[in-house]
Amino acid sequence: MKIIRTIKAMKRFSRDAKKRGKTIGFVPTMGALHNGHLSLARQSKKDCDLTVVSVFVNPTQFGPREDLSKYPRNIRKDKKLLASVNVDVLFFPSVDEIYPGGYSTYVENTGNVAKAMCARFRPGHFKGVATVVTKLFNIVSPDISYFGQKDAQQAIIIKKMVKDLNFDTRIKIMPIVREKDGLAMSSRNVHLSRIDRNKSVGIYRALKKAKELIKKGTKDADLIKKEICRVMDNHGIFIVDYVKIVNAETLEPVKKLRGRTLIAIAAYVGKTRLIDNIVV
Ligand code: AMP
């Protein structure tokens, strides 16, 4: 596996690959990799001639009260994991390489999809994400880029950005990879104490309960939300940023379930903010 740390070298690699007629698959990550990330890389390996994974903890997507310095980092382990799935290139730039002094250009979706769900709780977050993803697309020039359904709102915003700004990359959204007990894999799970780890299954159990109710014919969003909150309550999850039942494309709230619907939760388990969702 090639490790590239500069924009210049990354651009040169992609340009040479294109000249040789090779397709490039790209997986942007913030590192502290787990099986969820690797599932994206594996899909890229299947679809494309070359797979590039970036590891970059992006400072512009962290709010002033979010702890950038505490975000888990483990580049040695990341290298091993990426090599184990035969990734071709690890792009691992420094913060100065991506945001040199005087940096001042940002990309922002100003529509409803960027105002829904996490927006109120993480102001500026999606602007930071859209900006870094734009830069990475320009640096890597991928044919296909892979994102996880785990970050459902992010996936929608990126897809919209690619359409609105005419990027030459296709976006593939991959299913959520879970632990055996259902907890969605996340780099942040390492912050959970043993007690909090036990509580955390309440989020997926709440989503499963919602699915059961819907299977039985419940269509009333408020009723489903109530049940979700009850299940989380029973697991000791009391600090809930939101439980949203929204149209899976527009993220507009729905009162009565119809068509593809996203049920999304953001909640604190201990000090760790976890997100999860299902589409029904
Ligand atoms: P992150 O490093 O958390 O920024 O995530 C990088 C990419 O991996 C994003 O597109 C995420 O949606 C995706 N991802 C993170 N966790 C999972 C998971 N459990 N299953 C599938 N994809 C995931």
Side-chain angles (χ1 to χ4, degrees):
M1 183 174 70
K2 210 175 158 81
I3 296 167
I4 297 182
R5 302 220 52 184
T6 67
I7 293 169
K8 198 172 161 199
M10 189 65 243
K11 281 192 167 182
R12 193 187 317 125
F13 176 91
S14 292
R15 208 167 36 237
D16 291 351
K18 296 260 150 111
K19 263 191 209 147
R20 289 185 289 127
K22 305 284 185 200
T23 55
I24 299 174
F26 176 45
V27 182
T29 81
M30 298 214 297
L33 301 178
H34 50 68
N35 251 316
H37 298 112
L38 296 186
S39 74
L40 274 54
R42 284 196 193 98
Q43 186 63 44
S44 169
K45 291 288 297 178
K46 275 190 203 151
D47 298 341
C48 303
D49 297 323
L50 296 163
T51 292
V52 177
V53 176
S54 64
V55 170
F56 180 65
V57 183
N58 175 35
T60 63
Q61 71 188 69
F62 286 79
R65 276 171 302 151
E66 295 175 353
D67 205 346
L68 168 65
S69 65
K70 287 223 173 80
Y71 194 84
R73 289 166 169 86
N74 194 344
I75 194 66
R76 272 180 60 192
K77 188 173 163 211
D78 291 349
K79 283 180 189 168
K80 277 193 194 140
L81 287 173
L82 294 174
S84 77
V85 293
N86 294 319
V87 161
D88 299 281
V89 175
L90 162 61
F91 180 46
F92 177 48
S94 67
V95 173
D96 282 343
E97 182 74 2
I98 298 295
Y99 299 112
Y103 186 87
S104 62
T105 304
Y106 292 86
V107 179
E108 187 172 21
N109 180 311
T110 56
N112 286 333
V113 289
K115 288 185 188 131
M117 299 196 349
C118 282
R120 190 156 76 78
F121 304 95
R122 304 192 71 188
H125 171 68
F126 292 116
K127 180 175 163 186
V129 170
T131 301
V132 81
V133 171
T134 294
K135 287 172 69 71
L136 291 168
F137 283 171
N138 283 334
I139 295 163
V140 176
S141 303
D143 294 280
I144 310 181
S145 305
Y146 299 83
F147 291 83
Q149 175 61 23
K150 158 95 189 329
D151 299 271
Q153 188 175 11
Q154 165 177 288
I156 288 175
I157 291 171
I158 297 295
K159 269 186 162 174
K160 185 79 171 81
M161 178 181 92
V162 163
K163 190 168 172 230
D164 286 352
L165 298 182
N166 315 100
F167 280 101
D168 275 330
T169 187
R170 254 180 69 203
I171 302 294
K172 256 197 186 179
I173 308 301
M174 301 300 295
I176 301 176
V177 177
R178 300 180 178 280
E179 301 288 355
K180 276 205 184 85
D181 61 6
L183 174 68
M185 287 190 184
S186 164
S187 304
R188 288 192 164 91
N189 292 352
V190 299
H191 292 318
L192 296 169
S193 67
R194 183 123 50 94
I195 292 169
D196 289 339
R197 176 64 187 80
N198 289 335
K199 287 182 183 174
S200 66
V201 296
I203 296 178
Y204 185 56
R205 287 193 186 148
L207 290 169
K208 277 216 321 211
K209 179 78 196 175
K211 205 171 182 173
E212 268 171 39
L213 286 174
I214 293 161
K215 247 193 181 155
K216 284 185 190 146
T218 310
K219 292 213 174 340
D220 182 343
D222 284 340
L223 211 133
I224 297 164
K225 275 188 208 169
K226 237 190 204 158
E227 271 302 297
I228 287 177
C229 290
R230 196 183 58 79
V231 175
M232 287 203 290
D233 232 61
N234 288 344
H235 285 81
I237 302 171
F238 305 121
I239 306 170
V240 178
D241 270 358
Y242 61 75
V243 173
K244 296 277 185 193
I245 302 188
V246 297
N247 177 291
E249 272 80 46
T250 64
L251 302 185
E252 298 283 350
V254 297
K255 283 248 161 259
K256 280 238 170 306
L257 268 73
R258 243 181 98 233
R260 277 186 83 238
T261 304
L262 175 73
I263 306 183
I265 297 174
Y268 282 86
V269 181
K271 285 198 170 116
T272 309
R273 186 179 186 271
L274 299 178
I275 57 170
D276 199 352
N277 68 81
I278 53 167
V279 175
V280 290

